[in-house]
Amino acid sequence: MNTNKHVMLLGGDERYLHVIDSLAKAGIRISLIGYEQLSFNEPNIQHVGLDNADFSSLRAIILPVAGTDLKGKIEVTYSDKQVYLTEQLVSCTPKQCVIYSGTANQYLQQIADVTDRKLVKLFARDDIAIYNSIPTAEGTLKLAIEQSDETIHGANVCVLGFGRVGITVARVFSAVGANVSVAARSSAAVARITEMGFHAIPLNQLEKAIGQMTICINTIPSQVVDQSIISAMSPSVMLIDLASKPGGTDFDFALKRGISTFHALGLPGKTAPKSAGKIIATVLLDLLQST
């Protein structure tokens, strides 16, 4: 049992139940904050509070996917108590303690910088992003099916962006018979889109093509679906934005135009929490075993 490896989980959603299970089975000593409503039988799992936790032996602090808000507040699902990550708390950990978070805002980055602790943004890693693109794409397809009164088969679907998520989304919708177009900036991406059998649209020509689309799925984390693009859309289009906050869509203008818009955040955790949790756990175990 790796009881010499001590980690602390602060908050988290259903995905992190599977993270806890995987880490516990690997023999890692786990301190939990924000899970008071749940019980665990494993001897290496312990509920603690911020006032009685042992920070001196921590090898890692594991935060939820969203990390903290701009005041340090952490999302908790299984507790009625509020949990905050502070500079003082992190300062109580050993220098080699690593902070693992799905994403990181300015507040969290500043804490890591001031305390000289390593901060690992898990969702910036290619492996997690690619694995997570699978439940993201499946969740997007599920949403499209539920919100449409027509089949996805034969629908004109436009995916904006051809990165780690966009590629998988395009493949999934194509596999169920959609006519998939992909819009991208670079000439290399346009060439690869064509090679894979999708219709390629240079992003600067999107306004001309978007009016023919039944479903538009944005994966680009900057506002590319602006007023000019939205004005060129059919009023009956379904617009799904997968980009992290604030998204890549002018949602207010889309609402004024009467366009059905969905900012579909956190789909892996909502549609396949077990798979999403296992993805996070697998990468965390590799990282913890290498330190």
Side-chain angles (χ1 to χ4, degrees):
M1 180 177 289
N2 287 320
T3 51
N4 61 314
K5 292 201 173 180
H6 178 202
V7 306
M8 178 181 288
L9 272 78
L10 283 79
D13 56 21
E14 188 177 349
R15 285 171 283 191
Y16 283 80
L17 301 183
H18 304 287
V19 172
I20 293 168
D21 181 63
S22 296
L23 297 184
K25 287 178 179 176
I28 293 172
R29 179 183 163 203
I30 305 170
S31 293
L32 297 178
I33 294 179
Y35 290 85
E36 291 84 2
Q37 296 172 0
L38 304 179
S39 60
F40 300 87
N41 296 323
E42 293 82 353
N44 51 328
I45 299 178
Q46 180 184 18
H47 291 281
V48 299
L50 290 175
D51 55 347
N52 66 354
D54 174 17
F55 297 106
S56 64
S57 62
L58 285 180
R59 299 289 291 274
I61 292 175
I62 300 172
L63 302 177
V65 168
T68 72
D69 69 11
L70 291 174
K71 294 183 178 180
K73 187 177 180 180
I74 294 170
E75 173 194 6
V76 293
T77 304
Y78 305 105
S79 175
D80 296 324
K81 300 178 181 179
Q82 293 187 346
V83 179
Y84 288 83
L85 184 72
T86 65
E87 179 185 328
Q88 181 181 4
L89 185 155
V90 176
S91 296
C92 294
T93 65
K95 280 289 187 181
Q96 66 269 25
C97 180
V98 180
I99 303 170
Y100 294 101
S101 178
T103 59
N105 57 21
Q106 185 178 0
Y107 176 90
L108 184 54
Q109 186 64 59
Q110 183 175 353
I111 283 184
D113 292 342
V114 170
T115 59
D116 194 25
R117 298 302 190 270
K118 182 178 181 181
L119 173 62
V120 176
K121 292 171 276 191
L122 295 172
F123 279 33
R125 292 173 56 95
D126 282 336
D127 49 6
I128 281 191
I130 292 170
Y131 286 135
N132 260 330
S133 72
I134 300 168
T136 296
E138 291 185 4
T140 306
L141 178 60
K142 178 174 180 285
L143 176 62
I145 291 171
E146 290 174 344
Q147 298 298 325
S148 178
D149 57 4
E150 296 183 320
T151 63
I152 306 303
H153 186 282
N156 293 329
V157 176
C158 184
V159 179
L160 310 187
F162 201 58
R164 297 166 299 193
V165 174
I167 291 172
T168 308
V169 169
R171 283 175 173 161
V172 166
F173 275 80
S174 178
V176 296
N179 303 314
V180 176
S181 300
V182 182
R185 284 192 177 92
S186 75
S187 58
V190 168
R192 180 59 68 188
I193 291 163
T194 304
E195 181 273 330
M196 291 179 64
F198 307 125
H199 175 64
I201 304 173
L203 199 59
N204 59 8
Q205 298 178 25
L206 179 61
E207 187 175 344
K208 298 178 182 178
I210 200 68
Q212 304 301 314
M213 301 303 163
T214 309
I215 300 170
C216 178
I217 303 167
N218 177 57
T219 70
I220 301 172
S222 59
Q223 195 171 97
V224 292
V225 189
D226 56 18
Q227 293 189 12
S228 62
I229 299 299
I230 293 170
S231 296
M233 290 178 169
S234 166
S236 62
V237 72
M238 181 191 305
L239 176 55
I240 301 174
D241 198 320
L242 303 179
S244 57
K245 291 182 180 179
T249 298
D250 186 336
F251 293 104
D252 291 338
F253 187 73
L255 180 63
K256 290 178 182 178
R257 288 269 297 160
I259 290 175
S260 297
T261 306
F262 305 91
H263 196 187
L265 297 173
L267 284 178
K270 294 173 182 175
T271 60
K274 185 174 183 178
S275 295
K278 286 182 175 180
I279 290 167
I280 296 171
T282 298
V283 174
L284 274 174
L285 279 170
D286 286 343
L287 292 170
L288 289 169
Q289 288 168 0
S290 64
T291 58

